[in-house]
Amino acid sequence: MPKLVPPLTDVRIRNAKPKDKPYKLADGGGLYLEITPTGSKLWRMKFRRTNGKESRLAFGTYPLVSLSEAREKRDSAKKLAESGIDLASHRDSEKVAKAQRAVNTFEAVAREWLAKNEDGWAASHHDKILGRLQNDVFPYIGSREVGAISAPDLLSVIQRIEKRGVLETAHRALANCGQVFRYAVATGRAESDPSGALRGALPPLRDRRTHFAAITDPAQVGQLLRALDEYQGSPTVKAALQLAPLVFVRPGELRAAEWAHIDLDAAEWRYTVTKTNTPHIVPLCTQAVAILTGLKPITGHGRYLFPSPRSKDRPMSDNAVLSALRRMGIEKDEMSGHGFRAMARTILDEVLGERVDLIEHQLAHAVRDANGRAYNRTSHLPERKRMMQRWADYLDAIKQGGNVVAAKFGKAA
C-alpha cells in the first residue's frame, strides 16, 4: 500500500531549509516544491505525456506563487490532460505564443520602427522621438499588444500629456504613435491605426509665427528676449520683464515679490504660492542674481521688488508689465505674463529634454511621489538649481541671435 503524503502547508514550506543537494516536498497530484541548495523554492508538477514519457511543468517560485496558486495551476493542467491535450506540447506552444506577444508589444514595435529609420535621421531627431515615447507613452501602453490598442486607449495616454500643458508635445506624441501603428499594420501586427480616429481630439496648436506663448523656435524666442533688453521705460519694469523668463512664476507672484523673501547669497527666492497656499523655492540663476543686485539700490529700501509708482506700500499693477509689452509692439494675442511659463514649460521639455517632474515642480504645480505624497518644497532642489541655470544659459545663447540648438547644451542630467 503506497505511503500517503500529507498535503503541504505554508508553515512547512516556510520552515523548509536548503540542503547540500536539491530535494522535494510533495503536495499531491504530481505537484511538488523543489528546494535548491541556494534556498530557492520552485513549484514543479510531474506528469506523463500522451506517449507515456515522464515530464515536468514549472509553475514559478514560492512565495511569488503561493501554495493555493500552485494548486490552481496543477488542477488546470490536469483538466487539460484529461481532455486529451499533451501538456508538454501545450507548454511549448505557450512559450512560443508568449515570445510572439513580446515582439508584438507597442514598445517592441516602436523600437523596431525607430531602428529601421535611425540611419536616415539626425541623431537628435531620433533621440527626441525615443525620449518622448519613453517618457510619455511606453509606461502606459508599451507592454500592450500593438494590435489590441484602441483609439480610447491611445487618447487616454495623449490626454495625460495635454493636461501637463505641453500641447505641442501631445500633438507630436500622437503623430509618432500613428507612425508606429502604421508600421505595425505594414508588418502584419495590427489591423488598423487608431490614431487616425483621434483627428480633432486635441486642441489645435496656435500659429508660432504670431504667438510667443507657445514658441519653441530659438530665433523667435531670441527676438522677444532682445526686445525685453531694449525696453526704454522704468528700470523697475525693465527688471521685471528681464526676470520673468528666468523665473517663470505666475505674474501675480512676480509683481508682488518681496525683498524679505530673496536671499541673494543663497541664490534663492522662497515664498508661499498664493494659488495653493504652499511654500515654494525658486532657485536664482546667476543672471537673475545680477538683475536683482542691480535693482536693490533702487527698490531694496522698501518691501517690494517692484513697487507701485504711486505707493511704495503696494506692488506694481499687473498692467505695468502688460502695458510695457504693448508699448514694445507685442500684442495681447502674442504674449502675456503667463506666456513666460508656457515658454519655459515647452522648451525645457521638448528642446532641452529636462525631466517633466522637475519642470512641473518648478512651475509650482502639484507633483506627487510614487506613493501619492506631495513632494515638499526642497525636493530635488539641487537638480532644479542645475535646470534653472541651464535654462538661463540657453536663453542667453538664443538671445545672441545664433542658430542655437539643444545639442549645444548636452543631455539633461
Side-chain angles (χ1 to χ4, degrees):
M1 186 174 183
K3 182 179 179 182
L4 293 176
V5 178
L8 289 175
T9 64
D10 281 306
V11 172
R12 188 180 171 199
I13 295 172
R14 287 196 299 268
N15 291 336
K17 305 300 180 185
K19 299 179 181 179
D20 293 339
K21 294 182 179 181
Y23 68 98
K24 305 172 184 177
L25 296 178
D27 185 62
L31 179 66
Y32 64 89
L33 192 70
E34 181 176 319
I35 292 84
T36 70
T38 62
S40 297
K41 298 176 180 180
L42 312 175
W43 289 114
R44 299 284 187 263
M45 177 182 169
K46 181 172 64 175
F47 68 94
R48 290 199 176 275
R49 302 187 61 175
T50 52
N51 60 10
K53 292 183 178 181
E54 189 175 279
S55 189
R56 302 282 188 280
L57 291 178
F59 292 157
T61 62
Y62 181 91
L64 290 179
V65 176
S66 68
L67 174 59
S68 60
E69 289 170 333
R71 286 170 174 167
E72 289 176 3
K73 290 175 181 287
R74 174 199 61 195
D75 294 343
S76 297
K78 291 181 71 174
K79 287 180 181 179
L80 288 174
E82 289 169 0
S83 65
I85 294 176
D86 186 286
L87 294 182
S89 299
H90 183 267
R91 174 196 60 201
D92 295 342
S93 62
E94 282 288 297
K95 287 181 179 179
V96 172
K98 185 177 181 180
Q100 190 64 37
R101 286 195 296 271
V103 300
N104 287 345
T105 64
F106 181 89
E107 180 172 350
V109 174
R111 290 185 182 277
E112 184 180 318
W113 167 73
L114 284 166
K116 291 280 186 182
N117 291 281
E118 188 171 7
D119 290 342
W121 289 342
S124 59
H125 181 66
H126 171 275
D127 292 347
K128 282 181 183 178
I129 296 176
L130 177 59
R132 197 176 295 134
L133 293 174
Q134 285 179 325
N135 294 333
D136 291 315
V137 181
F138 291 167
Y140 306 105
I141 59 172
S143 61
R144 301 223 5 223
E145 192 169 349
V146 66
I149 298 171
S150 66
D153 294 333
L154 181 59
L155 179 61
S156 175
V157 173
I158 300 303
Q159 285 178 333
R160 286 176 178 269
I161 308 172
E162 180 195 359
K163 288 175 182 177
R164 295 205 318 264
V166 283
L167 183 58
E168 184 166 342
T169 300
H171 276 275
R172 289 184 177 181
L174 179 59
N176 294 149
C177 288
Q179 291 169 301
V180 174
F181 282 116
R182 288 190 289 277
Y183 178 75
V185 172
T187 55
R189 286 173 282 187
E191 295 295 326
S192 62
D193 167 21
S195 72
L198 301 184
R199 187 174 289 109
L202 288 175
L205 288 170
R206 293 183 290 179
D207 188 347
R208 286 188 188 175
R209 294 171 297 178
T210 57
H211 291 83
F212 281 100
I215 194 171
T216 59
D217 178 70
Q220 294 181 24
V221 177
Q223 179 184 353
L224 172 62
L225 297 174
R226 290 191 293 275
L228 300 183
D229 280 356
E230 293 165 4
Y231 178 69
Q232 298 299 310
S234 156
T236 303
V237 174
K238 182 174 182 176
L241 288 168
Q242 292 176 315
L243 197 61
L246 297 175
V247 296
F248 50 86
V249 297
R250 295 177 177 88
E253 292 162 353
L254 179 63
R255 68 182 183 85
E258 301 183 24
W259 282 110
H261 300 157
I262 302 290
D263 187 338
L264 292 177
D265 292 330
E268 290 180 354
W269 172 17
R270 298 184 175 225
Y271 67 96
T272 299
V273 178
T274 53
K275 185 175 181 180
T276 58
N277 195 34
T278 55
H280 186 53
I281 300 175
V282 178
L284 298 173
C285 59
T286 55
Q287 294 89 330
V289 170
I291 293 169
L292 293 173
T293 301
L295 179 66
K296 195 161 189 178
I298 303 173
T299 66
H301 55 279
R303 176 181 177 184
Y304 297 103
L305 276 67
F306 311 110
S308 167
R310 295 183 178 84
S311 171
K312 302 300 181 184
D313 297 324
R314 290 187 302 171
M316 69 180 183
S317 70
D318 192 32
N319 286 332
V321 168
L322 295 178
S323 297
L325 291 172
R326 304 303 164 252
R327 286 195 295 273
M328 287 186 286
I330 302 169
E331 298 300 328
K332 62 181 180 180
D333 60 345
E334 294 178 321
M335 192 65 184
S336 67
H338 275 281
F340 296 110
R341 290 170 64 77
M343 178 191 297
R345 180 173 52 216
T346 302
I347 297 178
L348 282 167
D349 178 15
E350 298 184 4
V351 179
L352 296 184
E354 290 289 344
R355 282 169 40 193
V356 171
D357 62 324
L358 295 182
I359 301 169
E360 291 295 293
H361 194 112
Q362 198 52 59
L363 287 163
H365 289 164
V367 182
R368 299 186 179 276
D369 63 18
N371 296 317
R373 298 177 301 226
Y375 285 119
N376 62 51
R377 65 176 176 175
T378 60
S379 293
H380 305 298
L381 189 56
E383 294 95 327
R384 288 191 284 132
K385 286 184 176 181
R386 175 203 54 76
M387 179 182 75
M388 295 295 276
Q389 186 61 55
R390 184 168 180 252
W391 165 244
D393 292 342
Y394 180 80
L395 293 183
D396 274 352
I398 59 178
K399 186 166 58 176
Q400 293 169 8
N403 185 20
V404 179
V405 294
K408 178 177 179 179
F409 295 85
K411 293 288 184 182

